[in-house]
Structures are given as C-alpha cells and as structure tokens.
Amino acid sequence: MRDVVTRNGKPSKRFRIGLRSQMALLGISGGLVTGVICAGALTYARLVQSESNDSNKLKDHIASLSQSFLESRQIANDFIRKPSDVLIKNHAENYERQLSDLGYVETFATMLPDNDPLKAGDVPALGDRSLRNALS
C-alpha cells in the first residue's frame, strides 16, 4: 500500500496492483475463460455427436428393416414356386431380424418428444426422395 495525497491534502491509503501483477491476472483470467469456453464446447460437441450416432443407428435399423422386407417378399415368391424347409427357415430368421429392428425403431421413437414428426407418424414414405436424401 502506498500513501497517496488527495486534493484536500490528507493522505489516503489505496490498494494498488503493479503492472506485472495486472498483466499476470489478465493472463490467468484469460486462460480460465478460454478453458471454460473450451469445456462448454466439448460438452456440446459430445451431445451433438451422441445425437448423430443415435440417428445413424436409426438409419441403419430402418435400412435393415427395408432390406428384410424385400427379402421376405423374395422368399415368399420362391416358396410359392418351390416350397422347401430351407425357405421356411430363412423366412423365420428374417422375421426375427425384422422384429429386432422394429423394436429398436419403436424404442427410439418413444424417447422422442411428443411434437416430433417421427413420433407422430408424419414422416414421408420410404420412396420419397427427400427421405432417401436425408437418410443417405
């Protein structure tokens, strides 16, 4: 602390920080602010990446479901032409895969907010170009 003389001539005690200390405090506070911003950005990036991963999983299960529907149709056509136990077994395996994929899609849809178009069923048909572009 230094004695500083005021206008009325009386000494007053004022706390003064030196220039080096001011620069050090400015550097430390800048580093702390930068660290907090980086931590917030990393948390946000983790959240966005998690949503992206969930979206990709949903896309994969929907694509698998679509593929298994096509395979089921092919198996049914083959069975009509030439019935066999192998086709029955393939159909059963395909059916189990469809149930698994559909279960994942239903679970994903129940976690969505109530106003989400996917939960409301307001999603365009799979043949729609905009949906195909969104899923690719």
Side-chain angles (χ1 to χ4, degrees), residues 26-46:
L26 184 63
I28 291 169
S29 64
L32 288 174
V33 168
T34 302
V36 168
I37 290 172
C38 286
L42 287 173
T43 301
Y44 180 71
R46 190 178 314 120

PDB file of all heavy atoms in Angstrom, residues 26-46:
ATOM      1  N   LEU A  26      -4.504 -10.693 -15.741  1.00  0.00           N
ATOM      2  CA  LEU A  26      -5.201 -10.685 -17.026  1.00  0.00           C
ATOM      3  C   LEU A  26      -4.931 -11.972 -17.801  1.00  0.00           C
ATOM      4  O   LEU A  26      -5.844 -12.572 -18.367  1.00  0.00           O
ATOM      5  CB  LEU A  26      -4.764  -9.466 -17.848  1.00  0.00           C
ATOM      6  CG  LEU A  26      -5.468  -9.270 -19.185  1.00  0.00           C
ATOM      7  CD1 LEU A  26      -6.961  -9.037 -18.963  1.00  0.00           C
ATOM      8  CD2 LEU A  26      -4.864  -8.104 -19.934  1.00  0.00           C
ATOM      9  N   GLY A  27      -3.688 -12.421 -17.804  1.00  0.00           N
ATOM     10  CA  GLY A  27      -3.346 -13.661 -18.494  1.00  0.00           C
ATOM     11  C   GLY A  27      -4.003 -14.871 -17.862  1.00  0.00           C
ATOM     12  O   GLY A  27      -4.537 -15.749 -18.555  1.00  0.00           O
ATOM     13  N   ILE A  28      -4.005 -14.927 -16.535  1.00  0.00           N
ATOM     14  CA  ILE A  28      -4.632 -16.060 -15.831  1.00  0.00           C
ATOM     15  C   ILE A  28      -6.136 -16.065 -16.066  1.00  0.00           C
ATOM     16  O   ILE A  28      -6.734 -17.109 -16.359  1.00  0.00           O
ATOM     17  CB  ILE A  28      -4.294 -16.002 -14.320  1.00  0.00           C
ATOM     18  CG1 ILE A  28      -2.809 -16.304 -14.109  1.00  0.00           C
ATOM     19  CG2 ILE A  28      -5.161 -16.969 -13.528  1.00  0.00           C
ATOM     20  CD1 ILE A  28      -2.323 -16.025 -12.695  1.00  0.00           C
ATOM     21  N   SER A  29      -6.771 -14.897 -15.950  1.00  0.00           N
ATOM     22  CA  SER A  29      -8.223 -14.852 -16.159  1.00  0.00           C
ATOM     23  C   SER A  29      -8.575 -15.180 -17.611  1.00  0.00           C
ATOM     24  O   SER A  29      -9.579 -15.856 -17.876  1.00  0.00           O
ATOM     25  CB  SER A  29      -8.791 -13.497 -15.757  1.00  0.00           C
ATOM     26  OG  SER A  29      -8.278 -12.474 -16.587  1.00  0.00           O
ATOM     27  N   GLY A  30      -7.769 -14.745 -18.547  1.00  0.00           N
ATOM     28  CA  GLY A  30      -7.998 -15.091 -19.957  1.00  0.00           C
ATOM     29  C   GLY A  30      -7.880 -16.586 -20.189  1.00  0.00           C
ATOM     30  O   GLY A  30      -8.671 -17.179 -20.918  1.00  0.00           O
ATOM     31  N   GLY A  31      -6.889 -17.201 -19.549  1.00  0.00           N
ATOM     32  CA  GLY A  31      -6.724 -18.653 -19.658  1.00  0.00           C
ATOM     33  C   GLY A  31      -7.902 -19.396 -19.064  1.00  0.00           C
ATOM     34  O   GLY A  31      -8.373 -20.398 -19.615  1.00  0.00           O
ATOM     35  N   LEU A  32      -8.391 -18.925 -17.917  1.00  0.00           N
ATOM     36  CA  LEU A  32      -9.553 -19.563 -17.285  1.00  0.00           C
ATOM     37  C   LEU A  32     -10.806 -19.423 -18.142  1.00  0.00           C
ATOM     38  O   LEU A  32     -11.565 -20.387 -18.308  1.00  0.00           O
ATOM     39  CB  LEU A  32      -9.795 -18.960 -15.894  1.00  0.00           C
ATOM     40  CG  LEU A  32      -8.788 -19.332 -14.823  1.00  0.00           C
ATOM     41  CD1 LEU A  32      -9.052 -18.546 -13.542  1.00  0.00           C
ATOM     42  CD2 LEU A  32      -8.832 -20.827 -14.555  1.00  0.00           C
ATOM     43  N   VAL A  33     -11.033 -18.250 -18.695  1.00  0.00           N
ATOM     44  CA  VAL A  33     -12.205 -18.037 -19.555  1.00  0.00           C
ATOM     45  C   VAL A  33     -12.111 -18.923 -20.794  1.00  0.00           C
ATOM     46  O   VAL A  33     -13.094 -19.558 -21.197  1.00  0.00           O
ATOM     47  CB  VAL A  33     -12.346 -16.547 -19.935  1.00  0.00           C
ATOM     48  CG1 VAL A  33     -13.366 -16.354 -21.037  1.00  0.00           C
ATOM     49  CG2 VAL A  33     -12.723 -15.728 -18.715  1.00  0.00           C
ATOM     50  N   THR A  34     -10.932 -18.990 -21.385  1.00  0.00           N
ATOM     51  CA  THR A  34     -10.746 -19.852 -22.557  1.00  0.00           C
ATOM     52  C   THR A  34     -10.998 -21.310 -22.203  1.00  0.00           C
ATOM     53  O   THR A  34     -11.639 -22.040 -22.953  1.00  0.00           O
ATOM     54  CB  THR A  34      -9.321 -19.679 -23.119  1.00  0.00           C
ATOM     55  OG1 THR A  34      -9.122 -18.313 -23.455  1.00  0.00           O
ATOM     56  CG2 THR A  34      -9.121 -20.534 -24.361  1.00  0.00           C
ATOM     57  N   GLY A  35     -10.530 -21.738 -21.038  1.00  0.00           N
ATOM     58  CA  GLY A  35     -10.759 -23.114 -20.597  1.00  0.00           C
ATOM     59  C   GLY A  35     -12.230 -23.418 -20.394  1.00  0.00           C
ATOM     60  O   GLY A  35     -12.717 -24.488 -20.774  1.00  0.00           O
ATOM     61  N   VAL A  36     -12.964 -22.481 -19.799  1.00  0.00           N
ATOM     62  CA  VAL A  36     -14.400 -22.680 -19.582  1.00  0.00           C
ATOM     63  C   VAL A  36     -15.136 -22.754 -20.918  1.00  0.00           C
ATOM     64  O   VAL A  36     -16.021 -23.604 -21.111  1.00  0.00           O
ATOM     65  CB  VAL A  36     -14.968 -21.548 -18.688  1.00  0.00           C
ATOM     66  CG1 VAL A  36     -16.485 -21.557 -18.686  1.00  0.00           C
ATOM     67  CG2 VAL A  36     -14.431 -21.675 -17.279  1.00  0.00           C
ATOM     68  N   ILE A  37     -14.778 -21.899 -21.848  1.00  0.00           N
ATOM     69  CA  ILE A  37     -15.413 -21.930 -23.175  1.00  0.00           C
ATOM     70  C   ILE A  37     -15.109 -23.251 -23.877  1.00  0.00           C
ATOM     71  O   ILE A  37     -15.998 -23.870 -24.473  1.00  0.00           O
ATOM     72  CB  ILE A  37     -14.952 -20.723 -24.026  1.00  0.00           C
ATOM     73  CG1 ILE A  37     -15.539 -19.428 -23.455  1.00  0.00           C
ATOM     74  CG2 ILE A  37     -15.350 -20.901 -25.486  1.00  0.00           C
ATOM     75  CD1 ILE A  37     -14.995 -18.168 -24.086  1.00  0.00           C
ATOM     76  N   CYS A  38     -13.866 -23.699 -23.801  1.00  0.00           N
ATOM     77  CA  CYS A  38     -13.497 -24.981 -24.422  1.00  0.00           C
ATOM     78  C   CYS A  38     -14.239 -26.141 -23.779  1.00  0.00           C
ATOM     79  O   CYS A  38     -14.705 -27.050 -24.467  1.00  0.00           O
ATOM     80  CB  CYS A  38     -11.989 -25.211 -24.333  1.00  0.00           C
ATOM     81  SG  CYS A  38     -11.043 -24.193 -25.472  1.00  0.00           S
ATOM     82  N   ALA A  39     -14.374 -26.140 -22.463  1.00  0.00           N
ATOM     83  CA  ALA A  39     -15.094 -27.211 -21.783  1.00  0.00           C
ATOM     84  C   ALA A  39     -16.559 -27.228 -22.206  1.00  0.00           C
ATOM     85  O   ALA A  39     -17.133 -28.290 -22.456  1.00  0.00           O
ATOM     86  CB  ALA A  39     -14.979 -27.049 -20.270  1.00  0.00           C
ATOM     87  N   GLY A  40     -17.165 -26.053 -22.323  1.00  0.00           N
ATOM     88  CA  GLY A  40     -18.544 -25.973 -22.792  1.00  0.00           C
ATOM     89  C   GLY A  40     -18.684 -26.458 -24.227  1.00  0.00           C
ATOM     90  O   GLY A  40     -19.640 -27.172 -24.562  1.00  0.00           O
ATOM     91  N   ALA A  41     -17.739 -26.089 -25.071  1.00  0.00           N
ATOM     92  CA  ALA A  41     -17.773 -26.523 -26.470  1.00  0.00           C
ATOM     93  C   ALA A  41     -17.596 -28.036 -26.581  1.00  0.00           C
ATOM     94  O   ALA A  41     -18.260 -28.684 -27.393  1.00  0.00           O
ATOM     95  CB  ALA A  41     -16.696 -25.802 -27.276  1.00  0.00           C
ATOM     96  N   LEU A  42     -16.725 -28.607 -25.779  1.00  0.00           N
ATOM     97  CA  LEU A  42     -16.521 -30.060 -25.806  1.00  0.00           C
ATOM     98  C   LEU A  42     -17.771 -30.798 -25.326  1.00  0.00           C
ATOM     99  O   LEU A  42     -18.140 -31.841 -25.885  1.00  0.00           O
ATOM    100  CB  LEU A  42     -15.322 -30.451 -24.952  1.00  0.00           C
ATOM    101  CG  LEU A  42     -13.959 -30.107 -25.542  1.00  0.00           C
ATOM    102  CD1 LEU A  42     -12.862 -30.382 -24.522  1.00  0.00           C
ATOM    103  CD2 LEU A  42     -13.711 -30.884 -26.818  1.00  0.00           C
ATOM    104  N   THR A  43     -18.436 -30.261 -24.311  1.00  0.00           N
ATOM    105  CA  THR A  43     -19.675 -30.874 -23.828  1.00  0.00           C
ATOM    106  C   THR A  43     -20.747 -30.819 -24.912  1.00  0.00           C
ATOM    107  O   THR A  43     -21.450 -31.798 -25.154  1.00  0.00           O
ATOM    108  CB  THR A  43     -20.165 -30.147 -22.556  1.00  0.00           C
ATOM    109  OG1 THR A  43     -19.145 -30.226 -21.573  1.00  0.00           O
ATOM    110  CG2 THR A  43     -21.444 -30.764 -22.035  1.00  0.00           C
ATOM    111  N   TYR A  44     -20.865 -29.681 -25.579  1.00  0.00           N
ATOM    112  CA  TYR A  44     -21.841 -29.542 -26.656  1.00  0.00           C
ATOM    113  C   TYR A  44     -21.501 -30.477 -27.820  1.00  0.00           C
ATOM    114  O   TYR A  44     -22.380 -31.122 -28.391  1.00  0.00           O
ATOM    115  CB  TYR A  44     -21.893 -28.093 -27.140  1.00  0.00           C
ATOM    116  CG  TYR A  44     -22.878 -27.874 -28.249  1.00  0.00           C
ATOM    117  CD1 TYR A  44     -24.245 -27.924 -28.010  1.00  0.00           C
ATOM    118  CD2 TYR A  44     -22.442 -27.628 -29.552  1.00  0.00           C
ATOM    119  CE1 TYR A  44     -25.153 -27.736 -29.029  1.00  0.00           C
ATOM    120  CE2 TYR A  44     -23.340 -27.438 -30.576  1.00  0.00           C
ATOM    121  CZ  TYR A  44     -24.696 -27.488 -30.313  1.00  0.00           C
ATOM    122  OH  TYR A  44     -25.592 -27.312 -31.337  1.00  0.00           O
ATOM    123  N   ALA A  45     -20.221 -30.571 -28.160  1.00  0.00           N
ATOM    124  CA  ALA A  45     -19.805 -31.460 -29.249  1.00  0.00           C
ATOM    125  C   ALA A  45     -20.107 -32.913 -28.910  1.00  0.00           C
ATOM    126  O   ALA A  45     -20.528 -33.684 -29.780  1.00  0.00           O
ATOM    127  CB  ALA A  45     -18.313 -31.282 -29.532  1.00  0.00           C
ATOM    128  N   ARG A  46     -19.925 -33.305 -27.660  1.00  0.00           N
ATOM    129  CA  ARG A  46     -20.240 -34.667 -27.238  1.00  0.00           C
ATOM    130  C   ARG A  46     -21.737 -34.940 -27.377  1.00  0.00           C
ATOM    131  O   ARG A  46     -22.143 -36.008 -27.825  1.00  0.00           O
ATOM    132  CB  ARG A  46     -19.782 -34.875 -25.793  1.00  0.00           C
ATOM    133  CG  ARG A  46     -19.850 -36.312 -25.335  1.00  0.00           C
ATOM    134  CD  ARG A  46     -19.335 -36.515 -23.907  1.00  0.00           C
ATOM    135  NE  ARG A  46     -18.073 -35.830 -23.648  1.00  0.00           N
ATOM    136  CZ  ARG A  46     -17.908 -34.886 -22.710  1.00  0.00           C
ATOM    137  NH1 ARG A  46     -18.898 -34.529 -21.936  1.00  0.00           N
ATOM    138  NH2 ARG A  46     -16.727 -34.322 -22.548  1.00  0.00           N
TER     139      ARG A  46
END
